[in-house]
Coordinates of all heavy atoms in Angstrom, one line a residue:
C1559 N 35.2 -84.6 -134.3 CA 35.2 -85.8 -135.2 C 36.5 -85.8 -136.0 O 37.1 -86.9 -136.2 CB 34.0 -85.6 -136.2 SG 32.4 -85.7 -135.4
Y1560 N 37.0 -84.7 -136.5 CA 38.2 -84.6 -137.2 C 39.4 -85.0 -136.3 O 40.3 -85.6 -136.7 CB 38.4 -83.2 -137.8 CG 37.6 -83.0 -139.1 CD1 36.5 -82.1 -139.0 CD2 38.0 -83.6 -140.3 CE1 35.8 -81.8 -140.2 CE2 37.3 -83.3 -141.5 CZ 36.2 -82.4 -141.3 OH 35.4 -82.2 -142.5
M1563 N 39.7 -88.7 -135.9 CA 40.2 -89.4 -137.0 C 41.7 -89.1 -137.2 O 42.5 -89.9 -137.6 CB 39.4 -89.1 -138.3 CG 38.0 -89.5 -138.3 SD 37.9 -91.4 -138.0 CE 38.7 -92.0 -139.3
F1574 N 34.5 -100.3 -137.6 CA 34.1 -99.1 -137.0 C 32.7 -99.1 -136.6 O 31.8 -99.3 -137.6 CB 34.4 -97.9 -137.9 CG 34.3 -96.6 -137.3 CD1 35.5 -95.9 -136.9 CD2 33.1 -95.9 -137.2 CE1 35.4 -94.6 -136.2 CE2 33.1 -94.7 -136.5 CZ 34.2 -94.0 -136.2
N1576 N 29.8 -97.0 -135.5 CA 29.3 -95.6 -135.4 C 28.1 -95.5 -134.6 O 27.0 -95.5 -135.0 CB 29.0 -95.2 -136.9 CG 29.4 -93.7 -137.1 OD1 29.7 -92.9 -136.1 ND2 29.3 -93.2 -138.3
V1602 N 23.1 -87.2 -136.7 CA 23.1 -87.0 -138.2 C 24.6 -86.5 -138.6 O 25.3 -87.2 -139.3 CB 22.1 -86.0 -138.7 CG1 22.2 -85.8 -140.2 CG2 20.7 -86.6 -138.4
R1603 N 24.9 -85.3 -138.1 CA 26.1 -84.7 -138.6 C 27.4 -85.5 -138.3 O 28.2 -85.7 -139.2 CB 26.3 -83.2 -138.1 CG 25.3 -82.2 -138.7 CD 25.3 -80.9 -138.0 NE 26.6 -80.3 -138.1 CZ 27.1 -79.5 -139.1 NH1 26.4 -79.4 -140.2 NH2 28.3 -79.1 -139.1
A1604 N 27.5 -85.9 -137.0 CA 28.7 -86.6 -136.6 C 28.7 -88.0 -137.3 O 29.8 -88.4 -137.8 CB 28.8 -86.8 -135.1
M1605 N 27.6 -88.7 -137.3 CA 27.5 -89.9 -138.0 C 27.9 -89.8 -139.5 O 28.7 -90.6 -140.1 CB 26.0 -90.5 -137.9 CG 25.8 -91.8 -138.5 SD 25.5 -91.8 -140.4 CE 24.2 -90.6 -140.6
H1606 N 27.3 -88.7 -140.2 CA 27.6 -88.6 -141.6 C 29.1 -88.3 -141.8 O 29.8 -88.9 -142.7 CB 26.8 -87.3 -142.1 CG 27.0 -87.0 -143.5 ND1 26.0 -87.2 -144.4 CD2 28.0 -86.6 -144.3 CE1 26.4 -86.9 -145.7 NE2 27.6 -86.5 -145.6
L1607 N 29.7 -87.4 -141.0 CA 31.1 -87.0 -141.2 C 32.0 -88.2 -140.9 O 33.0 -88.4 -141.7 CB 31.5 -85.8 -140.2 CG 32.9 -85.3 -140.3 CD1 33.3 -85.0 -141.7 CD2 33.0 -84.2 -139.4
L1608 N 31.8 -88.9 -139.8 CA 32.6 -90.1 -139.5 C 32.5 -91.2 -140.6 O 33.5 -91.8 -140.9 CB 32.3 -90.6 -138.1 CG 32.8 -89.7 -136.9 CD1 32.2 -90.2 -135.7 CD2 34.2 -89.6 -136.9
T1609 N 31.3 -91.3 -141.1 CA 31.1 -92.3 -142.1 C 32.0 -92.0 -143.3 O 32.7 -92.9 -143.9 CB 29.6 -92.4 -142.5 OG1 28.8 -92.9 -141.4 CG2 29.4 -93.3 -143.7
K1610 N 32.0 -90.7 -143.8 CA 32.8 -90.4 -144.9 C 34.2 -90.5 -144.7 O 35.0 -91.1 -145.4 CB 32.5 -88.9 -145.3 CG 33.1 -88.5 -146.6 CD 32.7 -87.1 -147.0 CE 31.2 -87.1 -147.5 NZ 31.1 -87.7 -148.9
L1611 N 34.7 -90.1 -143.5 CA 36.1 -90.1 -143.2 C 36.6 -91.5 -142.9 O 37.7 -91.9 -143.5 CB 36.4 -89.3 -141.9 CG 36.1 -87.8 -142.0 CD1 36.4 -87.1 -140.6 CD2 37.0 -87.1 -143.1
V1612 N 35.8 -92.4 -142.3 CA 36.2 -93.7 -142.1 C 36.2 -94.5 -143.5 O 37.1 -95.3 -143.7 CB 35.3 -94.4 -141.1 CG1 35.5 -95.9 -141.1 CG2 35.5 -93.9 -139.7
L1613 N 35.2 -94.3 -144.3 CA 35.2 -94.9 -145.6 C 36.3 -94.6 -146.5 O 36.9 -95.4 -147.2 CB 33.9 -94.7 -146.3 CG 32.6 -95.4 -145.7 CD1 31.3 -94.9 -146.5 CD2 32.7 -96.8 -145.7
R1614 N 36.7 -93.3 -146.4 CA 37.9 -92.9 -147.2 C 39.2 -93.6 -146.7 O 40.0 -94.1 -147.5 CB 38.1 -91.4 -147.1 CG 37.0 -90.7 -148.0 CD 37.1 -89.2 -147.9 NE 36.3 -88.5 -148.8 CZ 36.1 -87.2 -148.8 NH1 36.6 -86.4 -148.0 NH2 35.2 -86.7 -149.7
K1615 N 39.2 -93.8 -145.4 CA 40.4 -94.4 -144.8 C 40.4 -95.9 -145.2 O 41.4 -96.5 -145.6 CB 40.4 -94.3 -143.3 CG 41.5 -95.0 -142.5 CD 41.5 -94.7 -141.0 CE 42.6 -95.3 -140.3 NZ 43.9 -94.9 -140.7
M1616 N 39.2 -96.6 -145.2 CA 39.1 -98.0 -145.5 C 39.4 -98.2 -147.0 O 39.8 -99.3 -147.4 CB 37.7 -98.5 -145.1 CG 37.5 -98.7 -143.6 SD 35.9 -99.3 -143.2 CE 36.1 -99.6 -141.4
K1617 N 39.0 -97.2 -147.8 CA 39.4 -97.3 -149.2 C 40.8 -97.4 -149.4 O 41.3 -98.2 -150.2 CB 38.8 -96.1 -150.0 CG 39.0 -96.3 -151.6 CD 38.4 -95.1 -152.2 CE 38.6 -95.2 -153.8 NZ 38.0 -94.0 -154.5
K1618 N 41.6 -96.6 -148.7 CA 43.1 -96.7 -148.8 C 43.6 -98.0 -148.3 O 44.6 -98.6 -148.7 CB 43.7 -95.5 -148.0 CG 43.4 -94.2 -148.6 CD 44.0 -93.1 -147.7 CE 43.7 -91.7 -148.3 NZ 44.3 -90.6 -147.5
L1624 N 32.1 -101.1 -141.6 CA 31.5 -100.0 -140.8 C 30.1 -100.2 -140.6 O 29.3 -100.5 -141.5 CB 31.7 -98.7 -141.7 CG 31.4 -97.4 -141.0 CD1 32.0 -96.2 -141.8 CD2 29.9 -97.1 -140.9
N1626 N 26.7 -98.5 -138.9 CA 26.1 -97.4 -138.3 C 24.9 -97.8 -137.5 O 24.1 -98.6 -137.9 CB 25.5 -96.5 -139.4 CG 26.6 -95.7 -140.1 OD1 27.6 -95.2 -139.5 ND2 26.5 -95.4 -141.4
Y1649 N 17.5 -90.8 -141.4 CA 18.7 -90.3 -142.2 C 19.7 -91.4 -142.2 O 20.3 -91.7 -143.2 CB 19.1 -89.0 -141.6 CG 20.2 -88.4 -142.4 CD1 20.0 -87.3 -143.3 CD2 21.6 -88.7 -142.2 CE1 21.0 -86.7 -144.0 CE2 22.6 -88.1 -143.0 CZ 22.3 -87.1 -143.8 OH 23.3 -86.6 -144.6
L1653 N 20.9 -93.1 -145.6 CA 22.3 -92.9 -146.1 C 23.1 -94.2 -146.2 O 23.8 -94.4 -147.2 CB 23.1 -91.9 -145.1 CG 24.5 -91.6 -145.5 CD1 24.5 -90.6 -146.6 CD2 25.2 -91.0 -144.2
T1654 N 23.0 -95.0 -145.2 CA 23.7 -96.3 -145.2 C 23.3 -97.2 -146.4 O 24.2 -97.8 -147.1 CB 23.5 -97.0 -143.8 OG1 23.9 -96.2 -142.8 CG2 24.2 -98.3 -143.8
I1657 N 24.8 -95.8 -149.6 CA 26.3 -96.0 -149.7 C 26.6 -97.5 -150.0 O 27.4 -97.8 -150.8 CB 27.0 -95.6 -148.4 CG1 26.8 -94.1 -148.2 CG2 28.4 -96.0 -148.5 CD1 27.3 -93.6 -146.9
E1660 N 26.3 -98.1 -153.6 CA 27.3 -97.6 -154.4 C 28.6 -98.5 -154.2 O 29.3 -98.7 -155.2 CB 27.7 -96.2 -153.9 CG 26.6 -95.1 -154.2 CD 26.9 -93.7 -153.7 OE1 28.1 -93.5 -153.3 OE2 26.0 -92.9 -153.6
L1661 N 28.9 -98.9 -153.0 CA 30.0 -99.7 -152.8 C 29.9 -101.0 -153.5 O 30.9 -101.6 -154.1 CB 30.2 -100.0 -151.3 CG 30.6 -98.7 -150.5 CD1 30.6 -99.2 -149.0 CD2 32.0 -98.2 -150.9
I1668 N 34.7 -103.0 -149.1 CA 34.3 -102.3 -147.8 C 32.8 -102.7 -147.6 O 32.0 -102.7 -148.5 CB 34.4 -100.8 -147.9 CG1 35.9 -100.4 -148.1 CG2 33.9 -100.2 -146.7 CD1 36.0 -98.9 -148.5
I1670 N 29.4 -101.7 -145.4 CA 28.7 -100.8 -144.6 C 27.2 -101.3 -144.3 O 26.6 -101.9 -145.2 CB 28.5 -99.4 -145.2 CG1 28.0 -98.4 -144.2 CG2 27.8 -99.4 -146.5 CD1 28.1 -97.0 -144.6

Side-chain angles (χ1 to χ4, degrees):
C1559 296
Y1560 281 109
M1563 294 308 298
F1574 191 97
N1576 214 353
V1602 175
R1603 287 175 59 86
M1605 180 280 309
H1606 183 113
L1607 179 55
L1608 289 173
T1609 294
K1610 187 174 289 288
L1611 296 177
V1612 171
L1613 288 178
R1614 286 177 174 172
K1615 182 175 178 62
M1616 288 181 173
K1617 183 178 180 180
K1618 293 179 182 178
L1624 191 159
N1626 286 326
Y1649 187 97
L1653 182 74
T1654 303
I1657 296 169
E1660 291 180 15
L1661 292 174
I1668 302 169
I1670 187 171

